[in-house]
């Protein structure tokens, strides 16, 4: 049985595990590079599940062979955005696939505000639900 370690965002691979170390991240990057995936680093301060398009940090890395270069970019992103969510995405450009194969979070804010669930009664006794991120209670740039 998997457990969520506190109030943590659970998106992507390894979400229910404790944070990955840099050595563990490097192993995942080795796997991605071995399979010729393009690796991208993305960040956001609004991790709503429907917010699938995070901001890119730099360009996707198509031709790197060494995970140390990607890890250096991850650490630069951590330094630039220490209070944001940062994720690594590995994209498979193989014809017929053309889809992300891996996606995992490598940085989180110290305080993860979580999400609220609002219920609304509608016509015919229907119930509608809306999920909203508590992070968006403050303007962008002031959330963490």
């Amino acid at each position: 049985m998997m457990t969520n370690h506190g109030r943590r965002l659970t998106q992507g691979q390894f979400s229910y595990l404790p944070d990955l170390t840099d050595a563990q991240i490097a192993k995942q990057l080795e796997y991605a590079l071995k399979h010729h995936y393009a690796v991208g680093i993305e960040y956001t301060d609004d991790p709503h599940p429907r917010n699938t398009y995070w901001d890119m940090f730099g360009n996707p890395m198509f031709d790197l062979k060494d995970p140390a270069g990607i890890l250096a970019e991850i650490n630069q992103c951590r330094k630039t955005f220490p209070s944001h969510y940062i994720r690594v995405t590995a994209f498979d450009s193989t014809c017929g696939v053309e889809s992300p194969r891996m996606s995992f979070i490598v940085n989180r804010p110290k305080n993860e505000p979580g999400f609220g669930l609002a219920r609304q009664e509608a016509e015919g006794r229907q119930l509608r639900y809306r999920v909203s991120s508590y992070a968006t209670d403050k303007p962008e740039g002031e959330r963490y």
Side-chain angles (χ1 to χ4, degrees):
M1 181 172 141
M2 301 299 277
T3 57
N4 187 345
H5 296 272
R7 293 177 43 154
R8 294 168 51 97
L9 180 72
T10 53
Q11 293 181 14
Q13 296 167 280
F14 318 120
S15 292
Y16 288 93
L17 299 175
D19 291 338
L20 297 177
T21 65
D22 282 357
Q24 292 169 324
I25 293 168
K27 287 290 187 189
Q28 296 304 318
L29 296 173
E30 282 178 25
Y31 177 87
L33 294 174
K34 183 175 104 177
H35 288 84
H36 308 288
Y37 300 156
V39 177
I41 301 169
E42 303 169 312
Y43 64 94
T44 190
D45 63 352
D46 177 16
H48 189 282
R50 295 196 186 258
N51 178 12
T52 57
Y53 299 109
W54 293 15
D55 294 311
M56 289 289 298
F57 185 81
N59 293 319
M61 293 163 260
F62 293 100
D63 54 358
L64 285 181
K65 304 290 183 232
D66 184 9
I70 301 170
L71 203 50
E73 283 291 307
I74 290 170
N75 287 328
Q76 185 61 41
C77 188
R78 286 173 173 160
K79 198 183 311 181
T80 306
F81 301 103
S83 298
H84 283 60
Y85 290 92
I86 301 171
R87 75 177 172 200
V88 171
T89 302
F91 184 82
D92 183 354
S93 62
T94 305
C95 186
V97 177
E98 298 162 338
S99 178
R101 289 288 192 152
M102 301 171 66
S103 178
F104 54 95
I105 294 175
V106 296
N107 194 72
R108 299 168 179 274
K110 286 186 184 353
N111 175 31
E112 295 190 63
F115 297 92
L117 179 67
R119 182 175 69 194
Q120 175 186 10
E121 294 185 24
E123 63 282 340
R125 298 179 58 139
Q126 291 181 349
L127 293 178
R128 294 191 177 131
Y129 294 92
R130 180 177 52 86
V131 176
S132 59
S133 172
Y134 290 130
T136 59
D137 288 346
K138 295 181 183 175
E140 188 174 351
E142 297 178 18
R143 294 181 179 158
Y144 296 106

